[in-house]
Amino acid sequence: MRIVKDTYDLLFPDQKTGVEFLYKNRSALLADEFGTGKTAQAIHACIAVGARTILVICTASIKYNWRKEAIKWGFDERDIYILNDKNITTLPQERGMFIINYENIWRKRYVKVLAKRRYDVLIADECHRIKNPKAKCSKAVWLRNGYCDLSDYRWMLSASPVLNRPVELHSMLKKLCPERLGGYINYIDYTKRYCEGKDSKWGWDADGACNLEELAGRLEGFMLRRLRKLPMGKMLQKIYLPIDSDKLYLSEDESVRRTLGKLKVEPSVDHIENILESEDKVLVFAYHHDVIHALTEKLKKYNPAVIYGETPVKDRGGLVERFGNDKDTRVFIGQITAVGEGVDGLQNSCSVGVFVEICHTPGVINQAIGRLYRTGQKRDCVFQFLLVADSIDEQILDSTILKEHNIKEILKDENIGLDFKKAPTTKGGSEMSIEQSLDRIAKSLETLVDVLAEVGKGQPTFTTNECVAADTIAEPVEQHVKEKKKRTKKVEAPKVETVKGITPEQYKQKMHDAANLISGFATDPKKKSEMFAELQSRFKSQYPTRLHVFDVEPKDQEDVVELVDEYLKEKGVI
């Protein structure tokens, strides 16, 4: 895999521990709680082991998110493939991250291509999806000559690896770490020991649980899990849904928004169900009535409580109480303009909010966020905005963020709620940035319009056994680039500025080549991180007002190249 930028230093210390845990174990289960950045840790572990071919298996709703995360954390977007019927037969052999959903891994069209390859790393995200050994997707992973056998490293990711019973772990443990099961590797022996396995009139019954402390001990060293539980904080995340933006139109027209909202229902439901596999309850926001009705129907098995504009005020308190007191009511669906004010009590039973749709008004979104992020909340809050890349979704969110930025400037209030730049502050810690400010992104794009801008620094901060969730979602950089190109009117043919014999394009390529040389030279992640930090320090000593090498003036680019070359020669890289 080609690395276009080094982002290891953006990880927090115990998140780096997660990276180290993965790359030091051929087979491992990363079970950090929902919202804590397992994707980022897995990507950096791939970099640490020098992976050239990576197979990522995940749910359909997060395929595009995996691609954006991989780009955000340093992979060249040219090496990332979301597999489909068209590109499956034309994949490169030498390198690539190949992303596929569980529903396709067993289909003949894909198997006849993927099963003939070897992979440096297999990543199964939401790996509880393959807990049933009889399911076709499970067989494709676990059986002889399946994807596990084809991979050198096998890393499982899930916030809830056991959804219901210990029996769900057997297939994974038998395949990935049979030595840990000792004399209980056989299904019958395992279920007798840990599942109260016994004969019944319906066949073998393995629905029980016993000797769990012993089973937990067997997982030590194979599983790493940290929790999201520190003094209450808030973080906003962007999740990109697998919807083809080519079918959409960038417009402010209301009917386009409604059409997009309807298209988002199916993948949004998939994503919400993924969350419910590790969270007890979820608060869902939408804007249009027909979207709310569709969500209610699709999520009816979770007995949703629903409030929209026409819901009588006298009934709303009862719906909030039902959501809080009824364990079978796991979803609360609210029209964003109807539940923003006068609804209190949701924070007592829920800490995760999902925005299927948003609106143009920052205050309304802040009010919605305030349903959970308020007095009485006992946990850190996670708010996810479900977006479609290159669509009106991004236009609305960008416009809303800009409006609120202006409001903050006027009111001089940094505590206004809608803020993708902040993450929770831990005890004794300083404020951590989830995304760089809009101004910083804009400045980076001025210099690097065709290269991904440096994105947010926010990731979870962990204590020894716990962690705080933070933004793990890639910036919609492509959209900013496209909009910037739209706003720039070309009066005449563009002229390439040449400074001291080097063009901007050549400069960018030299910087990328230098980063790749360092990554190849320093195979140890710690050493690699130290080299990048030392080089950055030298750069900053000469250009203290510049953020990074892509932020320098054209007239200084050749001098920066000389600085980098001198450093590489000094360290023996070239």
Side-chain angles (χ1 to χ4, degrees):
M1 294 290 291
R2 289 172 285 195
I3 311 299
V4 298
K5 59 183 176 182
D6 182 78
T7 58
Y8 185 74
D9 284 343
L10 301 183
L11 301 176
F12 286 85
D14 278 289
Q15 196 168 15
K16 294 177 181 178
T17 300
V19 175
E20 184 178 4
F21 168 76
L22 290 176
Y23 81 70
K24 285 187 174 181
N25 290 279
R26 182 186 181 222
S27 300
L29 168 60
L30 184 61
D32 289 344
E33 196 177 13
F34 162 77
T36 56
K38 294 184 290 295
T39 304
Q41 295 177 67
I43 289 169
H44 272 282
C46 289
I47 295 173
V49 301
R52 294 179 61 82
T53 53
I54 305 165
L55 180 63
V56 176
I57 307 174
C58 61
T59 60
S61 63
I62 61 174
K63 287 190 298 184
Y64 288 86
N65 218 62
W66 258 97
R67 181 179 187 277
K68 287 184 175 290
E69 283 285 273
I71 294 171
K72 171 182 176 178
W73 293 107
F75 283 150
D76 191 321
E77 62 181 319
R78 293 173 296 178
D79 293 339
I80 303 169
Y81 303 86
I82 296 177
L83 303 189
N84 55 47
D85 289 348
K86 294 181 180 179
N87 67 12
I88 186 62
T89 58
T90 59
L91 300 179
Q93 290 283 349
E94 65 276 6
R95 62 172 170 253
M97 173 181 277
F98 310 112
I99 305 170
I100 185 172
N101 52 297
Y102 284 103
E103 293 80 2
N104 286 338
I105 59 174
W106 58 271
R107 299 186 185 280
K108 289 183 179 180
R109 183 178 182 84
Y110 295 87
V111 170
K112 68 181 183 180
V113 174
L114 299 177
K116 294 179 180 179
R117 295 166 171 251
R118 285 204 62 83
Y119 307 94
D120 295 324
V121 177
L122 166 69
I123 298 173
D125 195 4
E126 308 292 356
C127 63
H128 51 269
R129 292 297 183 97
I130 46 177
K131 66 181 186 295
N132 181 0
K134 296 181 180 179
K136 291 180 179 179
C137 58
S138 300
K139 292 178 179 179
V141 175
W142 303 131
L143 291 185
R144 180 186 290 271
N145 298 323
Y147 296 117
C148 268
D149 286 347
L150 297 174
S151 306
D152 294 332
Y153 288 87
R154 298 88 62 88
W155 298 331
M156 307 291 112
L157 312 182
S158 177
S160 50
V162 181
L163 293 179
N164 296 293
R165 306 172 185 89
V167 68
E168 296 166 2
L169 285 172
H170 180 258
S171 295
M172 181 193 303
L173 299 179
K174 180 180 178 181
K175 187 67 178 182
L176 299 183
C177 55
E179 70 283 355
R180 292 182 176 274
L181 293 179
Y184 306 109
I185 190 171
N186 177 273
Y187 177 80
I188 297 298
D189 294 333
Y190 174 91
T191 53
K192 281 183 178 179
R193 183 66 179 173
Y194 302 115
C195 311
E196 297 180 336
K198 57 184 180 296
D199 281 314
S200 71
K201 64 179 181 180
W202 305 111
W204 188 255
D205 181 2
D207 289 342
C210 57
N211 299 313
L212 299 185
E213 186 173 347
E214 177 185 312
L215 180 59
R218 293 186 183 277
L219 290 175
E220 290 182 6
F222 171 71
M223 181 182 78
L224 177 65
R225 179 171 175 81
R226 278 79 60 86
L227 303 179
R228 192 185 80 236
K229 189 189 294 183
L230 277 178
M232 187 185 72
K234 165 179 65 66
M235 64 292 303
L236 279 60
Q237 301 178 330
K238 298 173 185 176
I239 300 290
Y240 284 83
L241 299 175
I243 296 177
D244 187 358
S245 62
D246 292 340
K247 299 178 181 179
L248 305 173
Y249 299 93
L250 295 174
S251 169
E252 293 289 331
D253 185 81
E254 190 74 5
S255 63
V256 174
R257 290 180 61 196
R258 179 179 287 109
T259 300
L260 178 58
K262 291 178 180 179
L263 287 173
K264 291 169 68 177
V265 169
E266 288 284 353
S268 295
V269 167
D270 289 343
H271 183 73
I272 292 165
E273 289 183 331
N274 284 342
I275 295 174
L276 287 170
E277 289 174 350
S278 57
E279 295 288 321
D280 290 333
K281 295 176 183 281
V282 176
L283 172 58
V284 180
F285 295 104
Y287 183 81
H288 294 98
H289 281 202
D290 38 10
V291 174
I292 293 172
H293 293 319
L295 289 169
T296 303
E297 176 63 25
K298 295 288 185 181
L299 294 167
K300 62 183 179 182
K301 65 181 177 181
Y302 302 105
N303 193 27
V306 184
I307 290 180
Y308 51 94
E310 287 71 22
T311 304
V313 175
K314 62 182 179 64
D315 296 338
R316 299 187 180 191
L319 291 167
V320 173
E321 289 182 10
R322 174 158 72 88
F323 181 65
N325 299 329
D326 182 2
K327 66 178 182 179
D328 293 327
T329 300
R330 301 184 62 197
V331 175
F332 190 104
I333 303 174
Q335 187 175 26
I336 191 170
T337 53
V339 299
E341 296 180 353
V343 175
D344 189 20
L346 298 174
Q347 74 276 16
N348 297 324
S349 53
C350 180
S351 63
V352 178
V354 176
F355 288 81
V356 176
E357 296 181 290
I358 57 175
C359 63
H360 292 276
T361 309
V364 172
I365 298 178
N366 285 328
Q367 289 281 7
I369 288 173
R371 297 315 93 204
L372 297 183
Y373 187 60
R374 62 194 294 119
T375 302
Q377 180 59 258
K378 298 296 193 297
R379 301 186 67 202
D380 295 303
C381 295
V382 176
F383 297 96
Q384 296 190 332
F385 291 72
L386 307 189
L387 306 173
V388 175
D390 303 331
S391 75
I392 192 173
D393 262 358
E394 290 189 320
Q395 286 186 328
I396 294 173
L397 185 57
D398 290 344
S399 172
T400 304
I401 291 173
L402 181 59
K403 289 176 186 176
E404 192 185 52
H405 176 75
N406 295 334
I407 293 171
K408 287 184 178 183
E409 290 292 317
I410 296 170
L411 300 181
K412 297 184 177 181
D413 183 358
E414 289 299 318
N415 294 318
I416 295 177
L418 181 60
D419 195 340
F420 282 84
K421 296 184 291 182
K422 290 185 178 180
T425 301
T426 61
K427 287 183 178 179
S430 60
E431 188 178 86
M432 300 172 292
S433 172
I434 285 187
E435 297 183 332
Q436 295 176 324
S437 66
L438 293 174
D439 293 337
R440 183 171 295 184
I441 293 173
K443 183 181 290 186
S444 297
L445 288 171
E446 289 288 343
T447 305
L448 193 55
V449 73
D450 290 320
V451 180
L452 288 173
E454 182 178 283
V455 292
K457 298 181 180 179
Q459 277 294 304
T461 294
F462 301 90
T463 59
T464 302
N465 298 312
E466 303 169 328
C467 66
V468 176
D471 185 23
T472 62
I473 309 306
E475 284 276 279
V477 177
E478 298 91 342
Q479 175 67 11
H480 287 291
V481 173
K482 291 181 180 180
E483 290 181 359
K484 186 168 186 61
K485 289 180 178 178
K486 289 179 181 178
R487 292 195 298 267
T488 304
K489 295 182 178 179
K490 296 183 180 179
V491 179
E492 56 183 12
K495 297 179 180 179
V496 178
E497 181 177 4
T498 302
V499 182
K500 296 184 180 180
I502 186 172
T503 66
E505 290 72 21
Q506 291 171 332
Y507 175 75
K508 295 172 192 175
Q509 187 59 50
K510 285 182 177 293
M511 293 301 101
H512 291 154
D513 290 345
N516 288 332
L517 284 170
I518 293 175
S519 297
F521 178 79
T523 55
D524 178 63
K526 183 178 180 180
K527 176 65 175 176
K528 180 170 61 176
S529 177
E530 290 173 352
M531 290 184 67
F532 276 112
E534 185 179 0
L535 180 57
Q536 175 71 358
S537 176
R538 294 192 186 186
F539 169 78
K540 292 290 285 185
S541 67
Q542 292 194 29
Y543 304 95
T545 63
R546 297 301 173 184
L547 297 172
H548 46 68
V549 294
F550 292 116
D551 192 33
V552 297
E553 296 290 338
K555 63 183 179 61
D556 296 322
Q557 289 177 350
E558 190 165 64
D559 292 334
V560 174
V561 171
E562 292 177 1
L563 182 153
V564 171
D565 284 345
E566 287 177 2
Y567 177 79
L568 295 178
K569 291 176 182 177
E570 176 187 322
K571 296 298 179 181
V573 178
I574 59 176

